[in-house]
Amino acid sequence: KNEVEQSPQNLTAQEGEFITINCSYSVGISALHWLQQHPGGGIVSLFMLSSGKKKHGRLIATINIQEKHSSLHITASHPRDSAVYICAVRSDYGGSQGNLIFGKGTKLSVKP
Amino acid sequence: DADVTQTPRNRITKTGKRIMLECSQTKGHDRMYWYRQDPGLGLRLIYYSFDVKDINKGEISDGYSVSRQAQAKFSLSLESAIPNQTALYFCATSGDGPSYEQYFGPGTRLTVT
């Protein structure tokens, strides 16, 4: 079983829809990251959070440490939001030395 | 200018050839990483370095080697390339501690024929 699971794997939405991408993890963590990878390949960091909720424009990320679950929400989705969204956790296991463990990503396509 | 640069951006090479991928960063970070990305598998860690004298294997280091020439430079080598090393390779850097985000380079698309 993967330590970081994302759902859904693929998501198609109509422009304007509210979108939720989920991430569950099975290890103890010190932080969780949401990353965005556009079709050209580049990866950018959207959020890093260890508790609660963060908001940036139309993007909202939440985390529930007790349930080991995080969600990324996109309000009023737009075709330019089409990308792969990747959840990654920074494990607090001593052996991992704080390296990131990545989910396989959720491919989002927003149709006009 | 980009914080993390990678060269080359695209490379096609033949089986058995030695190839080097280079990474430079201007963030002033000590920590640097090399990942590969394959369709359906996500990002996997090849090697990481916490400073110039501290280099560690990641989960898929077989067939790869690295060199940390300076705080800002971290190179990945494939000593004898094989087709299943065809992938997208990313370099990244981060500060120390759990509260630092990672900054990724633009990626190198490597094809081994």
Side-chain angles (χ1 to χ4, degrees):
Chain A
K1 185 182 185 299
N2 293 325
E3 292 166 307
V4 181
E5 297 274 5
Q6 288 185 237
S7 63
Q9 287 185 299
N10 294 281
L11 180 57
T12 300
Q14 289 298 125
E15 184 173 357
E17 286 185 357
F18 180 84
I19 289 164
T20 296
I21 300 170
N22 295 298
C23 176
S24 296
Y25 53 91
S26 58
V27 296
I29 69 168
S30 54
L32 183 143
H33 298 245
W34 282 103
L35 310 168
Q36 181 190 55
Q37 184 174 22
H38 274 289
I43 299 172
V44 296
S45 178
L46 297 175
F47 295 103
M48 183 177 62
L49 63 166
S50 55
S51 65
K53 176 180 174 179
K54 287 189 176 181
K55 184 176 189 290
H56 181 69
R58 295 179 295 106
L59 302 178
I60 303 166
T62 64
I63 188 169
N64 184 317
I65 296 294
Q66 288 73 28
E67 294 187 3
K68 296 187 174 178
H69 182 269
S70 175
S71 293
L72 176 69
H73 305 287
I74 305 175
T75 62
S77 60
H78 190 276
R80 65 176 176 267
D81 297 324
S82 298
V84 175
Y85 292 84
I86 302 168
C87 173
V89 301
R90 187 179 296 278
S91 172
D92 57 11
Y93 285 165
S96 72
Q97 299 195 60
N99 291 327
L100 292 179
I101 305 170
F102 296 85
K104 295 182 179 180
T106 294
K107 185 175 182 180
L108 172 64
S109 178
V110 182
K111 305 295 186 187
Chain B
D1 287 343
D3 295 323
V4 185
T5 57
Q6 292 182 232
T7 56
R9 294 292 312 279
N10 289 283
R11 180 73 182 266
I12 300 173
T13 192
K14 293 185 183 298
T15 298
K17 294 291 187 182
R18 183 179 190 275
I19 183 169
M20 178 181 288
L21 309 182
E22 298 186 338
C23 175
S24 294
Q25 53 102 354
T26 58
K27 298 293 291 183
H29 291 159
D30 285 327
R31 297 189 174 199
M32 296 188 73
Y33 309 82
W34 274 105
Y35 299 99
R36 69 177 276 176
Q37 186 180 44
D38 299 274
L41 293 180
L43 286 154
R44 293 182 291 167
L45 182 62
I46 306 172
Y47 270 94
Y48 60 102
S49 171
F50 285 173
D51 66 39
V52 175
K53 296 181 180 179
D54 182 10
I55 294 177
N56 304 278
K57 293 181 178 180
E59 62 178 296
I60 54 163
S61 58
D62 287 349
Y64 302 94
S65 62
V66 291
S67 173
R68 185 81 184 265
Q69 300 94 327
Q71 185 200 40
K73 296 184 181 298
F74 193 34
S75 300
L76 176 72
S77 292
L78 287 67
E79 298 301 325
S80 179
I82 55 176
N84 76 1
Q85 292 177 313
T86 294
L88 189 54
Y89 290 83
F90 286 97
C91 174
T93 184
S94 74
D96 295 339
S99 62
Y100 286 85
E101 64 183 282
Q102 286 203 2
Y103 296 86
F104 288 82
T108 294
R109 188 167 297 280
L110 176 67
T111 303
V112 183
T113 62

mmCIF file of all heavy atoms in Angstrom, chain A residues 10-60:
data_model
loop_
_atom_site.group_PDB
_atom_site.id
_atom_site.type_symbol
_atom_site.label_atom_id
_atom_site.label_comp_id
_atom_site.label_asym_id
_atom_site.label_seq_id
_atom_site.Cartn_x
_atom_site.Cartn_y
_atom_site.Cartn_z
ATOM 1 N N ASN A 10 -7.986 10.754 -11.973
ATOM 2 C CA ASN A 10 -8.325 11.643 -13.076
ATOM 3 C C ASN A 10 -9.641 12.340 -12.773
ATOM 4 O O ASN A 10 -10.546 11.723 -12.198
ATOM 5 C CB ASN A 10 -8.449 10.868 -14.389
ATOM 6 C CG ASN A 10 -7.129 10.288 -14.836
ATOM 7 O OD1 ASN A 10 -6.288 10.980 -15.396
ATOM 8 N ND2 ASN A 10 -6.924 9.010 -14.579
ATOM 9 N N LEU A 11 -9.738 13.584 -13.198
ATOM 10 C CA LEU A 11 -10.934 14.360 -12.913
ATOM 11 C C LEU A 11 -11.187 15.316 -14.072
ATOM 12 O O LEU A 11 -10.287 16.074 -14.449
ATOM 13 C CB LEU A 11 -10.740 15.139 -11.609
ATOM 14 C CG LEU A 11 -11.868 16.030 -11.105
ATOM 15 C CD1 LEU A 11 -13.143 15.233 -10.920
ATOM 16 C CD2 LEU A 11 -11.449 16.700 -9.792
ATOM 17 N N THR A 12 -12.396 15.247 -14.605
ATOM 18 C CA THR A 12 -12.793 16.179 -15.658
ATOM 19 C C THR A 12 -13.933 17.025 -15.134
ATOM 20 O O THR A 12 -14.893 16.495 -14.568
ATOM 21 C CB THR A 12 -13.236 15.439 -16.929
ATOM 22 O OG1 THR A 12 -12.138 14.646 -17.401
ATOM 23 C CG2 THR A 12 -13.628 16.426 -18.013
ATOM 24 N N ALA A 13 -13.836 18.319 -15.287
ATOM 25 C CA ALA A 13 -14.845 19.235 -14.768
ATOM 26 C C ALA A 13 -15.203 20.267 -15.828
ATOM 27 O O ALA A 13 -14.437 20.518 -16.765
ATOM 28 C CB ALA A 13 -14.329 19.929 -13.517
ATOM 29 N N GLN A 14 -16.359 20.852 -15.662
ATOM 30 C CA GLN A 14 -16.765 21.974 -16.493
ATOM 31 C C GLN A 14 -16.320 23.275 -15.836
ATOM 32 O O GLN A 14 -16.301 23.392 -14.594
ATOM 33 C CB GLN A 14 -18.275 21.997 -16.694
ATOM 34 C CG GLN A 14 -18.815 20.903 -17.597
ATOM 35 C CD GLN A 14 -18.268 21.003 -19.015
ATOM 36 O OE1 GLN A 14 -17.710 20.052 -19.545
ATOM 37 N NE2 GLN A 14 -18.393 22.184 -19.613
ATOM 38 N N GLU A 15 -15.982 24.219 -16.663
ATOM 39 C CA GLU A 15 -15.572 25.522 -16.156
ATOM 40 C C GLU A 15 -16.597 26.049 -15.155
ATOM 41 O O GLU A 15 -17.809 25.990 -15.403
ATOM 42 C CB GLU A 15 -15.416 26.508 -17.305
ATOM 43 C CG GLU A 15 -14.902 27.870 -16.885
ATOM 44 C CD GLU A 15 -14.598 28.771 -18.067
ATOM 45 O OE1 GLU A 15 -14.732 28.311 -19.227
ATOM 46 O OE2 GLU A 15 -14.226 29.936 -17.838
ATOM 47 N N GLY A 16 -16.115 26.543 -14.029
ATOM 48 C CA GLY A 16 -16.981 27.096 -13.008
ATOM 49 C C GLY A 16 -17.299 26.138 -11.872
ATOM 50 O O GLY A 16 -17.764 26.565 -10.814
ATOM 51 N N GLU A 17 -17.058 24.855 -12.076
ATOM 52 C CA GLU A 17 -17.375 23.871 -11.046
ATOM 53 C C GLU A 17 -16.420 23.976 -9.855
ATOM 54 O O GLU A 17 -15.274 24.411 -9.982
ATOM 55 C CB GLU A 17 -17.324 22.452 -11.617
ATOM 56 C CG GLU A 17 -18.488 22.113 -12.505
ATOM 57 C CD GLU A 17 -18.454 20.649 -12.964
ATOM 58 O OE1 GLU A 17 -17.492 19.937 -12.624
ATOM 59 O OE2 GLU A 17 -19.396 20.240 -13.661
ATOM 60 N N PHE A 18 -16.907 23.534 -8.703
ATOM 61 C CA PHE A 18 -16.110 23.421 -7.491
ATOM 62 C C PHE A 18 -15.445 22.045 -7.508
ATOM 63 O O PHE A 18 -16.105 21.032 -7.728
ATOM 64 C CB PHE A 18 -17.024 23.565 -6.273
ATOM 65 C CG PHE A 18 -16.303 23.465 -4.952
ATOM 66 C CD1 PHE A 18 -15.688 24.575 -4.406
ATOM 67 C CD2 PHE A 18 -16.260 22.271 -4.251
ATOM 68 C CE1 PHE A 18 -15.035 24.511 -3.185
ATOM 69 C CE2 PHE A 18 -15.604 22.186 -3.025
ATOM 70 C CZ PHE A 18 -14.993 23.305 -2.493
ATOM 71 N N ILE A 19 -14.135 22.035 -7.286
ATOM 72 C CA ILE A 19 -13.356 20.798 -7.414
ATOM 73 C C ILE A 19 -12.708 20.450 -6.086
ATOM 74 O O ILE A 19 -12.212 21.333 -5.369
ATOM 75 C CB ILE A 19 -12.273 20.979 -8.496
ATOM 76 C CG1 ILE A 19 -12.926 21.036 -9.876
ATOM 77 C CG2 ILE A 19 -11.222 19.871 -8.436
ATOM 78 C CD1 ILE A 19 -12.030 21.577 -10.942
ATOM 79 N N THR A 20 -12.717 19.159 -5.770
ATOM 80 C CA THR A 20 -12.026 18.677 -4.572
ATOM 81 C C THR A 20 -11.129 17.512 -4.946
ATOM 82 O O THR A 20 -11.569 16.566 -5.611
ATOM 83 C CB THR A 20 -13.020 18.221 -3.500
ATOM 84 O OG1 THR A 20 -13.791 19.341 -3.072
ATOM 85 C CG2 THR A 20 -12.282 17.630 -2.309
ATOM 86 N N ILE A 21 -9.897 17.577 -4.518
ATOM 87 C CA ILE A 21 -8.921 16.499 -4.667
ATOM 88 C C ILE A 21 -8.505 16.073 -3.261
ATOM 89 O O ILE A 21 -8.224 16.916 -2.417
ATOM 90 C CB ILE A 21 -7.699 16.953 -5.476
ATOM 91 C CG1 ILE A 21 -8.140 17.399 -6.879
ATOM 92 C CG2 ILE A 21 -6.648 15.853 -5.554
ATOM 93 C CD1 ILE A 21 -7.041 18.078 -7.676
ATOM 94 N N ASN A 22 -8.485 14.768 -3.044
ATOM 95 C CA ASN A 22 -8.218 14.246 -1.710
ATOM 96 C C ASN A 22 -6.862 13.559 -1.608
ATOM 97 O O ASN A 22 -6.371 12.983 -2.592
ATOM 98 C CB ASN A 22 -9.308 13.253 -1.317
ATOM 99 C CG ASN A 22 -10.651 13.922 -1.197
ATOM 100 O OD1 ASN A 22 -10.845 14.807 -0.380
ATOM 101 N ND2 ASN A 22 -11.591 13.513 -2.040
ATOM 102 N N CYS A 23 -6.299 13.612 -0.421
ATOM 103 C CA CYS A 23 -5.005 12.986 -0.147
ATOM 104 C C CYS A 23 -5.066 12.343 1.236
ATOM 105 O O CYS A 23 -5.392 13.021 2.214
ATOM 106 C CB CYS A 23 -3.897 14.027 -0.206
ATOM 107 S SG CYS A 23 -2.249 13.419 0.230
ATOM 108 N N SER A 24 -4.760 11.053 1.292
ATOM 109 C CA SER A 24 -4.675 10.354 2.565
ATOM 110 C C SER A 24 -3.275 9.788 2.716
ATOM 111 O O SER A 24 -2.669 9.354 1.732
ATOM 112 C CB SER A 24 -5.692 9.210 2.623
ATOM 113 O OG SER A 24 -7.001 9.703 2.569
ATOM 114 N N TYR A 25 -2.782 9.760 3.929
ATOM 115 C CA TYR A 25 -1.424 9.276 4.165
ATOM 116 C C TYR A 25 -1.408 8.389 5.396
ATOM 117 O O TYR A 25 -2.300 8.475 6.255
ATOM 118 C CB TYR A 25 -0.444 10.447 4.299
ATOM 119 C CG TYR A 25 -0.833 11.477 5.322
ATOM 120 C CD1 TYR A 25 -0.388 11.378 6.633
ATOM 121 C CD2 TYR A 25 -1.649 12.556 4.984
ATOM 122 C CE1 TYR A 25 -0.741 12.317 7.581
ATOM 123 C CE2 TYR A 25 -2.010 13.495 5.918
ATOM 124 C CZ TYR A 25 -1.556 13.373 7.211
ATOM 125 O OH TYR A 25 -1.908 14.312 8.153
ATOM 126 N N SER A 26 -0.405 7.542 5.475
ATOM 127 C CA SER A 26 -0.389 6.526 6.528
ATOM 128 C C SER A 26 0.788 6.684 7.486
ATOM 129 O O SER A 26 0.935 5.891 8.403
ATOM 130 C CB SER A 26 -0.357 5.126 5.914
ATOM 131 O OG SER A 26 0.775 4.989 5.067
ATOM 132 N N VAL A 27 1.620 7.693 7.295
ATOM 133 C CA VAL A 27 2.791 7.889 8.139
ATOM 134 C C VAL A 27 2.645 9.162 8.960
ATOM 135 O O VAL A 27 1.823 10.030 8.630
ATOM 136 C CB VAL A 27 4.075 7.969 7.292
ATOM 137 C CG1 VAL A 27 4.326 6.656 6.569
ATOM 138 C CG2 VAL A 27 4.012 9.129 6.293
ATOM 139 N N GLY A 28 3.438 9.255 10.024
ATOM 140 C CA GLY A 28 3.476 10.496 10.769
ATOM 141 C C GLY A 28 4.186 11.557 9.953
ATOM 142 O O GLY A 28 5.165 11.262 9.287
ATOM 143 N N ILE A 29 3.665 12.766 9.981
ATOM 144 C CA ILE A 29 4.245 13.797 9.130
ATOM 145 C C ILE A 29 4.508 15.062 9.933
ATOM 146 O O ILE A 29 3.917 15.313 10.981
ATOM 147 C CB ILE A 29 3.347 14.138 7.915
ATOM 148 C CG1 ILE A 29 2.064 14.857 8.360
ATOM 149 C CG2 ILE A 29 3.015 12.875 7.130
ATOM 150 C CD1 ILE A 29 1.293 15.466 7.209
ATOM 151 N N SER A 30 5.422 15.866 9.390
ATOM 152 C CA SER A 30 5.655 17.199 9.943
ATOM 153 C C SER A 30 5.034 18.268 9.054
ATOM 154 O O SER A 30 4.817 19.388 9.509
ATOM 155 C CB SER A 30 7.150 17.448 10.113
ATOM 156 O OG SER A 30 7.826 17.229 8.900
ATOM 157 N N ALA A 31 4.778 17.948 7.788
ATOM 158 C CA ALA A 31 4.149 18.913 6.883
ATOM 159 C C ALA A 31 3.601 18.191 5.667
ATOM 160 O O ALA A 31 4.070 17.098 5.325
ATOM 161 C CB ALA A 31 5.148 19.991 6.438
ATOM 162 N N LEU A 32 2.633 18.805 5.034
ATOM 163 C CA LEU A 32 2.054 18.266 3.794
ATOM 164 C C LEU A 32 2.118 19.360 2.738
ATOM 165 O O LEU A 32 1.838 20.538 3.020
ATOM 166 C CB LEU A 32 0.609 17.814 4.028
ATOM 167 C CG LEU A 32 -0.106 17.171 2.831
ATOM 168 C CD1 LEU A 32 -1.004 16.029 3.305
ATOM 169 C CD2 LEU A 32 -0.889 18.176 2.041
ATOM 170 N N HIS A 33 2.489 18.943 1.544
ATOM 171 C CA HIS A 33 2.622 19.886 0.432
ATOM 172 C C HIS A 33 1.617 19.554 -0.659
ATOM 173 O O HIS A 33 1.361 18.375 -0.940
ATOM 174 C CB HIS A 33 4.022 19.786 -0.201
ATOM 175 C CG HIS A 33 5.145 20.128 0.724
ATOM 176 N ND1 HIS A 33 5.962 21.217 0.522
ATOM 177 C CD2 HIS A 33 5.604 19.514 1.838
ATOM 178 C CE1 HIS A 33 6.879 21.256 1.477
ATOM 179 N NE2 HIS A 33 6.686 20.238 2.294
ATOM 180 N N TRP A 34 1.077 20.577 -1.269
ATOM 181 C CA TRP A 34 0.344 20.430 -2.525
ATOM 182 C C TRP A 34 1.147 21.107 -3.618
ATOM 183 O O TRP A 34 1.554 22.265 -3.497
ATOM 184 C CB TRP A 34 -1.040 21.050 -2.437
ATOM 185 C CG TRP A 34 -2.038 20.204 -1.712
ATOM 186 C CD1 TRP A 34 -2.497 20.349 -0.442
ATOM 187 C CD2 TRP A 34 -2.717 19.050 -2.236
ATOM 188 N NE1 TRP A 34 -3.403 19.371 -0.131
ATOM 189 C CE2 TRP A 34 -3.566 18.567 -1.224
ATOM 190 C CE3 TRP A 34 -2.699 18.384 -3.477
ATOM 191 C CZ2 TRP A 34 -4.381 17.444 -1.389
ATOM 192 C CZ3 TRP A 34 -3.504 17.284 -3.647
ATOM 193 C CH2 TRP A 34 -4.341 16.822 -2.616
ATOM 194 N N LEU A 35 1.368 20.346 -4.704
ATOM 195 C CA LEU A 35 2.162 20.819 -5.826
ATOM 196 C C LEU A 35 1.311 20.796 -7.081
ATOM 197 O O LEU A 35 0.371 19.996 -7.194
ATOM 198 C CB LEU A 35 3.396 19.927 -6.027
ATOM 199 C CG LEU A 35 4.254 19.647 -4.798
ATOM 200 C CD1 LEU A 35 5.256 18.533 -5.096
ATOM 201 C CD2 LEU A 35 4.979 20.899 -4.363
ATOM 202 N N GLN A 36 1.659 21.650 -8.029
ATOM 203 C CA GLN A 36 0.957 21.691 -9.303
ATOM 204 C C GLN A 36 1.965 21.479 -10.429
ATOM 205 O O GLN A 36 3.021 22.124 -10.449
ATOM 206 C CB GLN A 36 0.286 23.053 -9.475
ATOM 207 C CG GLN A 36 -0.497 23.222 -10.763
ATOM 208 C CD GLN A 36 -0.926 24.667 -10.957
ATOM 209 O OE1 GLN A 36 -0.106 25.576 -10.939
ATOM 210 N NE2 GLN A 36 -2.213 24.879 -11.140
ATOM 211 N N GLN A 37 1.625 20.573 -11.338
ATOM 212 C CA GLN A 37 2.493 20.310 -12.486
ATOM 213 C C GLN A 37 1.698 20.553 -13.761
ATOM 214 O O GLN A 37 0.746 19.835 -14.064
ATOM 215 C CB GLN A 37 3.023 18.872 -12.465
ATOM 216 C CG GLN A 37 4.009 18.583 -13.578
ATOM 217 C CD GLN A 37 4.625 17.209 -13.468
ATOM 218 O OE1 GLN A 37 4.078 16.316 -12.834
ATOM 219 N NE2 GLN A 37 5.771 17.023 -14.093
ATOM 220 N N HIS A 38 2.098 21.582 -14.506
ATOM 221 C CA HIS A 38 1.413 21.913 -15.747
ATOM 222 C C HIS A 38 1.890 20.987 -16.865
ATOM 223 O O HIS A 38 2.942 20.329 -16.739
ATOM 224 C CB HIS A 38 1.649 23.375 -16.092
ATOM 225 C CG HIS A 38 0.678 24.278 -15.425
ATOM 226 N ND1 HIS A 38 -0.646 24.341 -15.791
ATOM 227 C CD2 HIS A 38 0.811 25.128 -14.385
ATOM 228 C CE1 HIS A 38 -1.279 25.200 -15.021
ATOM 229 N NE2 HIS A 38 -0.422 25.684 -14.149
ATOM 230 N N PRO A 39 1.119 20.938 -17.966
ATOM 231 C CA PRO A 39 1.463 20.031 -19.066
ATOM 232 C C PRO A 39 2.894 20.185 -19.566
ATOM 233 O O PRO A 39 3.486 19.238 -20.033
ATOM 234 C CB PRO A 39 0.435 20.399 -20.142
ATOM 235 C CG PRO A 39 -0.745 20.893 -19.377
ATOM 236 C CD PRO A 39 -0.177 21.613 -18.179
ATOM 237 N N GLY A 40 3.477 21.345 -19.441
ATOM 238 C CA GLY A 40 4.863 21.532 -19.853
ATOM 239 C C GLY A 40 5.857 20.839 -18.954
ATOM 240 O O GLY A 40 7.029 20.681 -19.312
ATOM 241 N N GLY A 41 5.413 20.404 -17.782
ATOM 242 C CA GLY A 41 6.255 19.599 -16.904
ATOM 243 C C GLY A 41 6.717 20.264 -15.637
ATOM 244 O O GLY A 41 7.003 19.566 -14.672
ATOM 245 N N GLY A 42 6.780 21.584 -15.597
ATOM 246 C CA GLY A 42 7.304 22.254 -14.420
ATOM 247 C C GLY A 42 6.440 22.040 -13.192
ATOM 248 O O GLY A 42 5.218 21.920 -13.281
ATOM 249 N N ILE A 43 7.068 21.956 -12.033
ATOM 250 C CA ILE A 43 6.365 21.711 -10.773
ATOM 251 C C ILE A 43 6.507 22.943 -9.882
ATOM 252 O O ILE A 43 7.627 23.422 -9.662
ATOM 253 C CB ILE A 43 6.949 20.482 -10.052
ATOM 254 C CG1 ILE A 43 6.784 19.229 -10.914
ATOM 255 C CG2 ILE A 43 6.279 20.286 -8.694
ATOM 256 C CD1 ILE A 43 7.503 18.003 -10.354
ATOM 257 N N VAL A 44 5.374 23.415 -9.373
ATOM 258 C CA VAL A 44 5.415 24.552 -8.458
ATOM 259 C C VAL A 44 4.692 24.176 -7.181
ATOM 260 O O VAL A 44 3.749 23.378 -7.182
ATOM 261 C CB VAL A 44 4.792 25.815 -9.076
ATOM 262 C CG1 VAL A 44 5.609 26.266 -10.275
ATOM 263 C CG2 VAL A 44 3.351 25.600 -9.465
ATOM 264 N N SER A 45 5.131 24.756 -6.096
ATOM 265 C CA SER A 45 4.510 24.517 -4.802
ATOM 266 C C SER A 45 3.312 25.433 -4.638
ATOM 267 O O SER A 45 3.407 26.642 -4.843
ATOM 268 C CB SER A 45 5.535 24.770 -3.694
ATOM 269 O OG SER A 45 4.958 24.584 -2.428
ATOM 270 N N LEU A 46 2.169 24.841 -4.276
ATOM 271 C CA LEU A 46 0.957 25.627 -4.036
ATOM 272 C C LEU A 46 0.801 25.947 -2.556
ATOM 273 O O LEU A 46 0.542 27.087 -2.180
ATOM 274 C CB LEU A 46 -0.274 24.870 -4.521
ATOM 275 C CG LEU A 46 -0.373 24.564 -6.011
ATOM 276 C CD1 LEU A 46 -1.601 23.699 -6.274
ATOM 277 C CD2 LEU A 46 -0.434 25.847 -6.816
ATOM 278 N N PHE A 47 0.910 24.920 -1.739
ATOM 279 C CA PHE A 47 0.722 25.068 -0.305
ATOM 280 C C PHE A 47 1.656 24.141 0.444
ATOM 281 O O PHE A 47 1.990 23.072 -0.029
ATOM 282 C CB PHE A 47 -0.715 24.684 0.117
ATOM 283 C CG PHE A 47 -1.797 25.561 -0.409
ATOM 284 C CD1 PHE A 47 -2.579 25.122 -1.476
ATOM 285 C CD2 PHE A 47 -2.055 26.797 0.148
ATOM 286 C CE1 PHE A 47 -3.601 25.918 -1.969
ATOM 287 C CE2 PHE A 47 -3.077 27.601 -0.342
ATOM 288 C CZ PHE A 47 -3.853 27.158 -1.404
ATOM 289 N N MET A 48 2.019 24.589 1.636
ATOM 290 C CA MET A 48 2.654 23.722 2.610
ATOM 291 C C MET A 48 1.915 23.958 3.912
ATOM 292 O O MET A 48 1.784 25.104 4.351
ATOM 293 C CB MET A 48 4.132 24.048 2.771
ATOM 294 C CG MET A 48 4.861 23.139 3.722
ATOM 295 S SD MET A 48 6.613 23.531 3.777
ATOM 296 C CE MET A 48 6.571 25.203 4.390
ATOM 297 N N LEU A 49 1.375 22.896 4.500
ATOM 298 C CA LEU A 49 0.618 23.089 5.734
ATOM 299 C C LEU A 49 0.831 21.939 6.689
ATOM 300 O O LEU A 49 1.096 20.811 6.289
ATOM 301 C CB LEU A 49 -0.864 23.307 5.436
ATOM 302 C CG LEU A 49 -1.729 22.251 4.778
ATOM 303 C CD1 LEU A 49 -3.212 22.618 4.937
ATOM 304 C CD2 LEU A 49 -1.425 22.084 3.320
ATOM 305 N N SER A 50 0.729 22.257 7.955
ATOM 306 C CA SER A 50 0.866 21.249 9.003
ATOM 307 C C SER A 50 -0.369 21.183 9.882
ATOM 308 O O SER A 50 -0.497 20.271 10.702
ATOM 309 C CB SER A 50 2.102 21.525 9.856
ATOM 310 O OG SER A 50 2.053 22.834 10.377
ATOM 311 N N SER A 51 -1.277 22.133 9.719
ATOM 312 C CA SER A 51 -2.534 22.104 10.458
ATOM 313 C C SER A 51 -3.505 23.072 9.798
ATOM 314 O O SER A 51 -3.090 24.006 9.082
ATOM 315 C CB SER A 51 -2.326 22.485 11.919
ATOM 316 O OG SER A 51 -1.899 23.835 12.017
ATOM 317 N N GLY A 52 -4.792 22.839 10.035
ATOM 318 C CA GLY A 52 -5.803 23.807 9.647
ATOM 319 C C GLY A 52 -6.029 23.957 8.160
ATOM 320 O O GLY A 52 -6.228 22.997 7.439
ATOM 321 N N LYS A 53 -5.999 25.195 7.732
ATOM 322 C CA LYS A 53 -6.467 25.554 6.401
ATOM 323 C C LYS A 53 -5.648 26.723 5.871
ATOM 324 O O LYS A 53 -5.252 27.606 6.625
ATOM 325 C CB LYS A 53 -7.934 25.945 6.529
ATOM 326 C CG LYS A 53 -8.643 26.456 5.306
ATOM 327 C CD LYS A 53 -10.090 26.783 5.704
ATOM 328 C CE LYS A 53 -10.863 27.439 4.590
ATOM 329 N NZ LYS A 53 -12.273 27.717 4.995
ATOM 330 N N LYS A 54 -5.382 26.687 4.545
ATOM 331 C CA LYS A 54 -4.751 27.835 3.906
ATOM 332 C C LYS A 54 -5.505 28.161 2.630
ATOM 333 O O LYS A 54 -6.047 27.267 1.977
ATOM 334 C CB LYS A 54 -3.277 27.544 3.585
ATOM 335 C CG LYS A 54 -2.371 27.533 4.800
ATOM 336 C CD LYS A 54 -0.906 27.469 4.405
ATOM 337 C CE LYS A 54 -0.014 27.564 5.641
ATOM 338 N NZ LYS A 54 1.434 27.517 5.270
ATOM 339 N N LYS A 55 -5.502 29.439 2.270
ATOM 340 C CA LYS A 55 -6.235 29.881 1.086
ATOM 341 C C LYS A 55 -5.341 30.801 0.265
ATOM 342 O O LYS A 55 -4.636 31.657 0.805
ATOM 343 C CB LYS A 55 -7.504 30.619 1.505
ATOM 344 C CG LYS A 55 -8.413 31.057 0.368
ATOM 345 C CD LYS A 55 -9.685 31.686 0.919
ATOM 346 C CE LYS A 55 -10.728 31.938 -0.181
ATOM 347 N NZ LYS A 55 -10.323 33.015 -1.094
ATOM 348 N N HIS A 56 -5.375 30.566 -1.053
ATOM 349 C CA HIS A 56 -4.639 31.455 -1.950
ATOM 350 C C HIS A 56 -5.465 31.618 -3.203
ATOM 351 O O HIS A 56 -5.575 30.693 -4.017
ATOM 352 C CB HIS A 56 -3.262 30.879 -2.277
ATOM 353 C CG HIS A 56 -2.451 31.757 -3.175
ATOM 354 N ND1 HIS A 56 -1.947 32.970 -2.768
ATOM 355 C CD2 HIS A 56 -2.081 31.620 -4.458
ATOM 356 C CE1 HIS A 56 -1.296 33.527 -3.767
ATOM 357 N NE2 HIS A 56 -1.360 32.731 -4.803
ATOM 358 N N GLY A 57 -6.089 32.771 -3.330
ATOM 359 C CA GLY A 57 -6.965 33.005 -4.480
ATOM 360 C C GLY A 57 -8.138 32.039 -4.470
ATOM 361 O O GLY A 57 -8.874 31.954 -3.501
ATOM 362 N N ARG A 58 -8.287 31.276 -5.550
ATOM 363 C CA ARG A 58 -9.388 30.311 -5.645
ATOM 364 C C ARG A 58 -9.022 28.929 -5.084
ATOM 365 O O ARG A 58 -9.820 27.997 -5.156
ATOM 366 C CB ARG A 58 -9.806 30.176 -7.107
ATOM 367 C CG ARG A 58 -10.397 31.451 -7.702
ATOM 368 C CD ARG A 58 -10.782 31.268 -9.176
ATOM 369 N NE ARG A 58 -9.608 31.029 -10.002
ATOM 370 C CZ ARG A 58 -9.277 29.853 -10.518
ATOM 371 N NH1 ARG A 58 -10.031 28.776 -10.272
ATOM 372 N NH2 ARG A 58 -8.209 29.724 -11.277
ATOM 373 N N LEU A 59 -7.844 28.800 -4.568
ATOM 374 C CA LEU A 59 -7.382 27.520 -4.034
ATOM 375 C C LEU A 59 -7.448 27.516 -2.516
ATOM 376 O O LEU A 59 -7.063 28.504 -1.874
ATOM 377 C CB LEU A 59 -5.950 27.243 -4.476
ATOM 378 C CG LEU A 59 -5.671 27.204 -5.981
ATOM 379 C CD1 LEU A 59 -4.192 26.967 -6.243
ATOM 380 C CD2 LEU A 59 -6.490 26.135 -6.659
ATOM 381 N N ILE A 60 -7.935 26.391 -1.992
ATOM 382 C CA ILE A 60 -8.010 26.220 -0.544
ATOM 383 C C ILE A 60 -7.465 24.839 -0.215
ATOM 384 O O ILE A 60 -7.831 23.854 -0.855
ATOM 385 C CB ILE A 60 -9.465 26.308 -0.036
ATOM 386 C CG1 ILE A 60 -10.093 27.642 -0.441
ATOM 387 C CG2 ILE A 60 -9.524 26.120 1.485
ATOM 388 C CD1 ILE A 60 -11.603 27.667 -0.277
#
